Each structure stands twice: as structure tokens, then as C-alpha cells.
Amino acid sequence: LALQYAAPGLRADPEIVLAAVAQCGRALEFADAALQEDRNFLLEAVRRNGRALEYASHDFRADREVVLAAVSQCGCALVGA
């Protein structure tokens, strides 16, 4: 998980974080807090890798639209809901 070791500015860059999440959903865990709290960003992240749902905040894991987007991408994402 290269994002874990990236400079703070890179962890706050939506394009970089989405690319990392597409490769590994756990990358969301290391994204800047502002991105983690951005619903639109999170929706795009789980559309690219449903497993990222596991690293989303509790509120987003209870958000029907976010969960549906994640499960549509990866059925096993429901485990992280």
C-alpha cells in the first residue's frame, strides 16, 4: 500500500487516491480525512473498488446509495457494510 507512505499532499489528491483505491480498496484507509468525509468522493471510490467500503466511516457504511454502489462493483463488499 504505497499510499500509506505517500506525502500528505498526495494523500489529499483525489485523482491519486482513486487510482490507489482502484488497485486496493484498503488505500481509502490512508486517504486524507477530508476525502474520507466527502460523500461524492466516497461514492466514486466504491464504484472503482467495492471493497473500499470496509474503510469508509460508519455513516457511509449505513448509506444505502454508497452500499449499493459498492455491492454493484463487488458483491463481497456487503461484508464491510
Side-chain angles (χ1 to χ4, degrees), residues 20-77:
V21 167
Q23 296 298 312
C24 177
R26 185 171 177 220
L28 183 63
E29 179 179 12
F30 304 105
D32 185 77
L35 290 179
Q36 292 179 6
E37 296 168 6
D38 182 324
R39 186 175 186 277
N40 290 327
F41 174 82
L42 191 70
L43 269 170
E44 184 58 33
V46 299
R47 286 181 181 131
R48 293 184 186 206
N49 189 332
R51 292 177 182 232
L53 181 64
E54 183 177 348
Y55 303 98
S57 73
H58 177 73
D59 289 343
F60 289 129
R61 288 188 313 233
D63 182 310
R64 185 181 188 283
E65 185 178 4
V66 171
V67 172
L68 183 58
V71 172
S72 294
Q73 196 284 323
C74 176
C76 64

